[in-house]
Amino acid sequence: MLKLCLHRDDAFESDTVMMKQQFSWALKDARNQSEDSFHHSGGVVPTALKNTHDALFKQNLVPWKFHLRNANFEPSLGHKKTIQAVHLRQSQADGHDFMKPEFRRIDESYTIDIPEDGDVNITAISAVGIAHALNTFSQLFYAHTKGGVYCPLAPVHISDSPKFQHRGLNMDVSRNFYEVTDIMRMIDSLAYNKFNRLHLHITDSQAWPLEIPALPDLATKGAYHPSLTYSPEDLQHIQRHGALQGVEVFLEIDMPGHTSSIWHSNPDLVTAFNVQPGWSDVAAEPPSGTLKLNSSEVYQFLDKLWDDLLPRVSRWSSYFHTGGDEVNFNAYNNEERIGTSSTDVIKPLLQKFFDKMHKAIRTSGLKHIVWEEMLLEYNITLPKDVIVQSWQSDDAVGKIVKSGHRAIAGNYQYWYLDCGHGHWVNFAPGDASRAAFPYKDYCDPYKNWRLIYSYDPLQSVPEADQHLVIGGEASIWSEQTDGTSIDTVVWPRLAAAAEVLWSGAKDPDTGRNRSQLDASPRLSEMRERLVRRGVRAAVIQMPFCTQEGADQCALYG
């Protein structure tokens, strides 16, 4: 059993918690081997301790927005019962690969007990559970204007565990470039909201920012600018930063569609490149272009790509995503060795393409993820260990699990965060402009937090198949988002999805969707905490609503 004690000269108080910036801690297992325990945790627990300290004493909030106007809401500092120590106990040792968990569930549960007086006890089975517990623990405290922090809720007992094992964000870092610091800031916020996956959609038609040393021209020529790339060191830094906070970072290289950026370094591998005008006849977005399917040179290229990349990412992740969405068969009319868009011709070639990718990914010890079209639209035969990510409908999730595959849900009508900002495509004067007016994007309207909160990943799945829905992902596609705006576009709306994935969409007492009236104050407070952490999260409501109570800004039918 691991036992972690925080000791300090000043003691926690149940109403007002006082603590100096310096404190000592000791990590011990049942054999009293503190150094072994420290290194076996992979740095997750020490990282969680530092983050908790910062959250409590550097980033905490004075909660005036959540009390009546001019209220004297802060407790007095004198004569309070005190908490003498905080004990963290991890009941099982983590496996050697716990920082890159596979589809099997890592136990993320935890308990917190804060008495009115005495020691706080936090227990978990895994180091990631300890990290979750410490995040929750820090969110129970508020800053006092006269110094220190306090928890107004003691006694507190929390026993908590996630509904879904896969709780993620799909972040497109190819269409617009994000600095490494932007991605790391996103990881910090994901961990704070108990997400455990960051899916990096890292290449697409518009740009290839991922450096592949075995294929150096890919990023040198395929990125928007030679300086806008992710080096192997950058990628390792990002993945390790996630692993230290219980967030597994895995990559998607979408293919065979969405690959026209490869043309800049390897023009012979891509067909139907940058067809203008009429790109929409052969591609989902400009520039058009897709990897050839009947080309030995493409397979030689992919062998080099996988041999370089997969061993590097497999150190930190158990997953790899190869996309497979929005393959426009019309593009293959332009491929000299195909010359047709016939499904009868293209499907066997696409099956061969998938089989070779799957073999490489499985050989590297990684679990393979694809988009739903591979299974449901192109009817590619997928081994049962392939995870299928759905985005188009709830009905698709039901079909995926009915086929025996594990599914990741994320209906774009609820969980696409880039929607509702208007179209990014220009329309020429005349018929095109008139037909597109008022220029809504394909997934309009904007997905407000209430809509996001209403989504149930299981709503079209029979109870007998629900175990195959391993979780869900919200998505932020980056046609109109970059590092300067992503915080406001994503947060705090994504926190609504976080609660659905952690607690489930349904209230266990009523069987109905959870109440917006209950969720709104929690989400508003989370927004304030994110802002204090340097995240430019959008506002949820005006202070009147948070001060007077959610029912004051509600409509009743």
Side-chain angles (χ1 to χ4, degrees):
M1 175 181 289
L2 299 178
K3 182 178 180 181
L4 177 65
C5 297
L6 302 183
H7 301 285
R8 51 225 149 239
D9 298 331
D10 291 44
F12 279 120
E13 297 185 2
S14 56
D15 286 333
T16 303
V17 180
M18 304 300 298
M19 180 177 172
K20 289 183 177 180
Q21 295 295 309
Q22 294 81 26
F23 61 91
S24 62
W25 58 274
L27 179 62
K28 296 180 180 179
D29 66 7
R31 298 166 296 168
N32 200 35
Q33 294 178 325
S34 58
E35 287 300 314
D36 287 346
S37 298
F38 177 85
H39 292 294
H40 197 57
S41 74
V44 171
V45 173
T47 298
L49 283 172
K50 179 185 182 303
N51 291 343
T52 302
H53 181 276
D54 290 347
L56 286 170
F57 301 107
K58 297 180 181 180
Q59 301 162 343
N60 218 328
L61 74 148
V62 176
W64 64 268
K65 287 187 179 181
F66 304 98
H67 295 274
L68 291 171
R69 196 180 314 224
N70 301 319
N72 183 18
F73 60 86
E74 290 188 316
S76 63
L77 297 179
H79 303 98
K80 294 293 178 182
K81 295 179 180 180
T82 60
I83 296 170
Q84 299 300 326
V86 177
H87 301 275
L88 275 68
R89 296 181 177 87
Q90 185 179 331
S91 61
Q92 292 183 14
D94 294 303
H96 69 280
D97 61 346
F98 82 101
M99 295 180 77
K100 42 169 275 183
E102 295 183 15
F103 67 90
R104 57 181 170 75
R105 178 191 288 264
I106 283 186
D107 195 310
E108 299 176 83
S109 64
Y110 64 89
T111 63
I112 300 174
D113 284 287
I114 303 177
E116 291 183 354
D117 195 15
D119 292 356
V120 171
N121 286 290
I122 294 176
T123 62
I125 291 175
S126 67
V128 172
I130 292 289
H132 291 326
L134 286 170
N135 272 326
T136 297
F137 180 72
S138 70
Q139 292 162 15
L140 297 173
F141 290 81
Y142 303 96
H144 198 292
T145 55
K146 294 183 179 179
V149 295
Y150 65 95
C151 172
L153 304 172
V156 173
H157 172 75
I158 296 172
S159 180
D160 203 11
S161 61
K163 172 77 171 178
F164 294 102
Q165 67 192 67
H166 186 110
R167 308 179 304 279
L169 173 69
N170 168 31
M171 181 178 175
D172 172 11
V173 296
S174 55
R175 290 180 173 93
N176 265 300
F177 183 80
Y178 293 84
E179 298 290 345
V180 171
T181 52
D182 296 328
I183 299 173
M184 291 174 62
R185 186 175 69 256
M186 182 62 71
I187 289 170
D188 295 342
S189 298
L190 291 172
Y192 195 59
N193 282 272
K194 298 186 180 65
F195 283 97
N196 64 355
R197 300 287 188 272
L198 175 59
H199 164 182
L200 288 182
H201 182 92
I202 203 163
T203 64
D204 212 291
S205 296
Q206 294 77 15
W208 185 291
L210 180 65
E211 292 183 18
I212 305 294
L215 298 162
D217 285 349
L218 259 181
T220 301
K221 297 180 178 180
Y224 285 127
H225 187 273
S227 66
L228 303 181
T229 63
Y230 301 110
S231 69
E233 294 74 23
D234 291 335
L235 182 57
Q236 177 177 317
H237 191 45
I238 290 166
Q239 288 192 292
R240 184 176 185 275
H241 186 75
L244 288 173
Q245 299 187 74
V247 177
E248 182 175 348
V249 180
F250 66 93
L251 304 188
E252 177 191 351
I253 295 185
D254 199 354
M255 56 179 58
H258 293 273
T259 51
S260 55
S261 57
I262 296 172
W263 181 90
H264 298 284
S265 58
N266 296 273
D268 293 340
L269 305 183
V270 175
T271 188
F273 174 73
N274 200 25
V275 173
Q276 292 287 357
W279 58 264
S280 60
D281 294 332
V282 291
E285 292 184 357
S288 63
T290 183
L291 279 176
K292 295 178 178 178
L293 287 181
N294 197 13
S295 167
S296 59
E297 291 84 1
V298 166
Y299 289 120
Q300 293 168 11
F301 165 82
L302 292 177
D303 286 343
K304 284 187 178 181
L305 174 65
W306 302 140
D307 288 347
D308 182 302
L309 180 61
L310 297 182
R312 290 193 280 118
V313 298
S314 63
R315 178 182 178 187
W316 301 102
S317 176
S318 292
Y319 298 98
F320 197 87
H321 201 310
T322 59
D325 63 316
E326 299 179 329
V327 180
N328 191 318
F329 286 10
N330 290 332
Y332 296 107
N333 287 314
N334 295 31
E335 184 173 343
E336 58 275 10
R337 297 175 188 170
I338 296 180
T340 180
S341 59
S342 169
T343 299
D344 292 340
V345 173
I346 294 173
K347 180 184 172 183
L349 295 171
L350 192 57
Q351 182 73 60
K352 178 183 176 182
F353 185 86
F354 169 82
D355 290 343
K356 288 185 72 70
M357 283 196 302
H358 183 66
K359 181 180 179 181
I361 290 166
R362 178 184 273 174
T363 300
S364 295
L366 294 161
K367 299 297 179 183
H368 195 174
I369 305 176
V370 297
W371 288 108
E372 65 179 57
E373 289 97 319
M374 295 293 282
L375 178 69
L376 302 181
E377 185 174 335
Y378 316 141
N379 298 312
I380 299 303
T381 300
L382 307 179
K384 293 302 182 186
D385 63 340
V386 175
I387 300 167
V388 180
Q389 183 165 7
S390 178
W391 66 278
Q392 295 190 90
S393 69
D394 297 326
D395 183 57
V397 179
K399 290 178 180 178
I400 291 166
V401 298
K402 186 177 181 180
S403 73
H405 287 275
R406 285 167 287 143
I408 299 170
N411 190 326
Y412 81 99
Q413 297 181 70
Y414 296 86
W415 279 12
Y416 268 26
L417 303 175
D418 54 300
C419 298
H421 296 286
H423 219 300
W424 55 272
V425 172
N426 298 319
F427 298 92
D431 291 344
S433 180
R434 283 190 292 271
F437 188 83
Y439 314 115
K440 296 178 180 179
D441 55 50
Y442 80 98
C443 54
D444 189 85
Y446 179 82
K447 315 310 179 191
N448 63 73
W449 78 262
R450 294 173 182 84
L451 182 64
I452 291 169
Y453 196 62
S454 72
Y455 179 57
D456 184 355
L458 301 176
Q459 60 192 18
S460 295
V461 181
E463 186 174 353
D465 294 330
Q466 289 183 359
H467 67 286
L468 290 172
V469 181
I470 63 173
E473 291 182 4
S475 291
I476 176 61
W477 302 106
S478 292
E479 288 90 347
Q480 299 182 92
T481 307
D482 64 9
T484 63
S485 61
I486 190 167
D487 286 1
T488 305
V489 173
V490 169
W491 299 106
R493 288 187 295 157
L494 187 58
E499 185 164 306
V500 169
L501 291 170
W502 182 273
S503 300
K506 299 291 190 289
D507 185 319
D509 295 328
T510 66
R512 298 192 298 268
N513 276 16
R514 298 176 187 275
S515 169
Q516 297 176 15
L517 295 177
D518 294 336
S520 180
R522 292 197 301 275
L523 188 63
S524 291
E525 181 174 317
M526 175 55 73
R527 185 264 177 178
E528 298 302 317
R529 292 186 181 276
L530 288 168
V531 170
R532 290 290 300 148
R533 294 165 65 87
V535 177
R536 298 179 66 86
V539 68
I540 291 297
Q541 287 181 313
M542 54 190 167
F544 169 79
C545 299
T546 58
Q547 287 185 321
E548 298 294 329
D551 59 334
Q552 294 293 305
C553 293
L555 290 173
Y556 295 87

